[in-house]
Amino acid sequence: MTPTTPTAPATADASLTAARARSDLLAATIDDPGAPGRAGLRVLTGDRPTGDLHIGHYLASLRSRVTLQDKGIETYVIVADYQVITDRDAIDSVRRDVLSVVTDYLAAGIDPRRSTVFAHSALPELNQLMLPFLSLVTDAELRRNPTVKDELLASDRPLSGLLLTYPVHQAADILGVHGTVVPIGADNLPHVEQARVVARRFNRRYAAGQEVFTEPTALLTDVPLLAGLDGRKMSKSRGNTIPLRASADETAALVRGARTDSERLITFEPERRPEVANLLRIAAGFLDRPAESLAEEIGDGGAAALKRVVTDAINDGLRDHRRRRAELVADPAYVLGVLREGNARARSVATSTLATVRAAMGMAY
Ligand code: TRP
């Protein structure tokens, strides 16, 4: 390495800046009905079904997916069931969790006539794409992926081949259905960056420069990352959040148990008072107003008043979602039918992608 080589953090900053610029440009295209290329955009995003979706998913991703769909952008949503076993052994609740996730998609307003919801495991073509894609990445690239490193540390297990190759199977999710718009939080950005590299290298190495794959673009959410009610990372498995399926009373009890501090005057100071700031952000997200003004309004009402505001904001904000959710839970055959139809639609796209890949590689016999 020469002394002029940028240090790792500088490189990461530069690529984050570039990704943000691409994301802003894409957002502008999406918002301009006459923009060239807009009609060809296809959203691919999804979730790892490790449990019930919660208010963090609702505020950071579910709402914006529905908005994209309603703006007329073709939308594919993957329930990445194989990703469940990247960092844990337990698979016994996967079927229940997949159906719970699909139920929340539908309750949030994902419309199966316009959007395609599918399970990774229903598309064997995605797994077959893994092999040529694996040939396009190096061991060093995989090992320095910061998200893989974080998940490894959090998992308390040795690094499995599946966790190491996380960015490659995610590239197959995206490229297998020709997703070009990938709405994600910054934590998934390294995977989308890797998918861009895979697309570029595939075209160059195996397709003589022909554009078999379009480099996907991350659409970065501007919703701040919410912490859990205990101040740690919000996570389905830590039980420190509010699942969308919780009732109004369960929500109130969970908020009551949230960690705060003993200062009576409520202020929005994320550095000094992270727990209070986090609760304010949750309420602000559901009320669609700035956390600062909410804090001012609560004033010296203390933690009790803050928690009342948060509980009401969540329960009012989720009222329609929960009503639709209850109707869907009463009709499991419908939910399963939506998934099966989505699986078939996504599979026909992935089948044709794989056929193109095999033809490009001279493997069509
Ligand atoms: N890894 C994503 C998560 O943990 C879920 C996911 C799987 C995904 N495949 C994807 C997201 C493709 C975007 C694009 O939330």
Side-chain angles (χ1 to χ4, degrees), residues 44-48 78 80 83 166 170 173-174 182 184 188:
L44 183 279
T45 185
D47 295 283
R48 224 158 70 102
I78 184 169
Q83 281 191 3
Y166 198 126
Q170 190 147 317
D173 297 346
I174 298 168
V182 189
I184 43 157
N188 263 273

Side-chain angles (χ1 to χ4, degrees), residues 264-329:
R264 206 158 168 84
L265 184 68
I266 298 303
T267 54
F268 183 65
E269 295 174 79
E271 295 290 326
R272 195 175 69 81
R273 307 179 71 184
E275 292 95 356
V276 167
N278 192 54
L279 286 173
L280 285 166
R281 275 195 179 123
I282 292 172
F286 279 104
L287 297 170
D288 210 3
R289 45 178 289 199
E292 288 85 354
S293 80
L294 206 54
E296 253 167 59
E297 204 172 285
I298 299 167
D300 63 2
L306 169 63
K307 288 181 175 180
R308 246 184 336 265
V309 167
V310 174
T311 301
D312 289 347
I314 300 172
N315 285 340
D316 291 346
L318 289 181
R319 187 160 294 123
D320 289 345
H321 182 98
R322 285 169 169 165
R323 184 182 39 75
R324 284 191 294 266
R325 195 180 205 288
E327 288 164 11
L328 290 159
V329 166

